[in-house]
Amino acid sequence: MMPETETRRQLIENELLMLTNAGELPELALAASLYYLQEEADGPHLSLSQEELAELAHTTALSYESIIRRDLKLENRDKLRFRGLARALVNWQRYTKFCGSRGIATTRFQTEAGKALLAYLTQEKAGQECGEQAASVNCQASDLLLLAQELCVADALPDGWESLCPAATLS
């Protein structure tokens, strides 16, 4: 039964806010929101409309975009929340799988993320060449190339980008 003090819209708005601030696993936050709204014993037991489900999914996609954007900004490299390019690749793949399964277009953000990756690498390369900073790239060259390919910017990678990656180690 829906609490008398909260309207249906307020309940959904609360979940949208939680999804916006979901952190590292937006899709898990969506599952928790859907469970609460529809099934949880103390929840409101709503039958969500297609529009409400789409709004929750869209907000989840925006949450993915936020964490990918964070890890494609070189300015964040010294912040605790920064996860680096390795995590950006993982989250990009989760994001595209999530969006693909829900019919959410990714082209707009793909373009933005590709530009951000190129800016990151260009700044990182310039900083390394000037001796200003050690490289912060935390993935192998093959993974970085995969990310660049998925963002459709592999042909525009700066010269010598491979030198930013840690050397592969033999097991």
Side-chain angles (χ1 to χ4, degrees), residues 46-61:
L46 300 178
S47 291
L48 296 172
S49 69
Q50 288 302 314
E51 292 80 17
E52 291 165 334
L53 290 168
E55 184 177 20
L56 290 162
H58 178 72
T59 301
T60 302

Side-chain angles (χ1 to χ4, degrees), residues 139-143 162-171:
C139 61
Q140 299 300 316
S142 59
D143 290 332
E162 300 93 337
S163 68
L164 299 171
C165 299
T169 56
L170 299 175
S171 300

